[in-house]
Amino acid sequence: MLVINGLEELKTYLDKEVGTSEWIEVTQDRVNKFAEATGDHQWIHVDTERAKKESPFRTTIAHGFLTLSLLPKLLNEVLDVQGVKFGLNYGTDKVRFMSPVITGSKVRSKFVFSAYKEVEGGLQATFTATFEREGQAKPVCVAESLMRFYA
């Protein structure tokens, strides 16, 4: 984990990779719980028997938004910004789901500190997250995570 001591130090990491998370398995149970929480029960995510027969992937796949929802957990694994009152998730920009996350596979994310701007009381930081599926070269998702840190 990269520990950053304050906003001025964070600025020195502009355009640099700040870390890569650990792999996390995307189980069918996780997919089912996400479907329950969001109400998105599309068969390609939750119906394993139908997916075996009808899906081009021959199995279920994770919801794109499930993959995206892992972003805060994975970013917190690689980066700790200290010396601030608090940080908060300000949103995401430029989200793209480029390939499916096959249920039962593992994903991780690489993070690059790609931009910042001063905001009243602190700093808005943009981290470009590139999600990878284990054993696959093509990313499954790329998104810009916007964080606000207040001094």
Side-chain angles (χ1 to χ4, degrees), residues 24-142:
I24 182 169
E25 185 176 2
V26 180
T27 64
Q28 186 64 54
D29 183 57
R30 183 183 295 267
V31 171
N32 292 345
K33 287 177 179 174
F34 188 84
E36 191 61 36
T38 62
D40 182 353
H41 297 278
Q42 184 182 21
W43 67 266
I44 203 161
H45 305 303
V46 297
D47 189 336
T48 56
E49 289 307 310
R50 184 174 177 189
K52 284 179 190 175
K53 297 173 188 167
E54 298 180 37
S55 167
F57 313 110
R58 297 294 174 229
T59 188
T60 54
I61 61 171
H63 306 73
F65 285 116
L66 186 158
T67 303
L68 187 62
S69 75
L70 297 173
L71 198 152
K73 175 200 179 337
L74 300 179
L75 182 58
N76 285 333
E77 284 183 13
V78 302
L79 183 67
D80 180 13
V81 180
Q82 298 183 347
V84 297
K85 287 183 183 175
F86 65 96
L88 58 85
N89 176 359
Y90 193 66
T92 52
D93 282 342
K94 299 179 183 176
V95 178
R96 298 292 179 267
F97 302 107
M98 286 99 111
S99 64
V101 174
I102 303 297
T103 305
S105 64
K106 294 180 181 179
V107 296
R108 69 178 180 186
S109 188
K110 293 182 181 181
F111 294 94
V112 173
F113 178 43
S114 50
Y116 71 85
K117 71 177 183 176
E118 305 288 335
V119 296
E120 186 175 335
L123 187 82
Q124 179 173 302
T126 302
F127 297 93
T128 300
T130 302
F131 291 84
E132 307 172 313
R133 189 175 92 201
E134 189 175 45
Q136 176 179 298
K138 184 177 183 181
V140 296
C141 176
V142 176

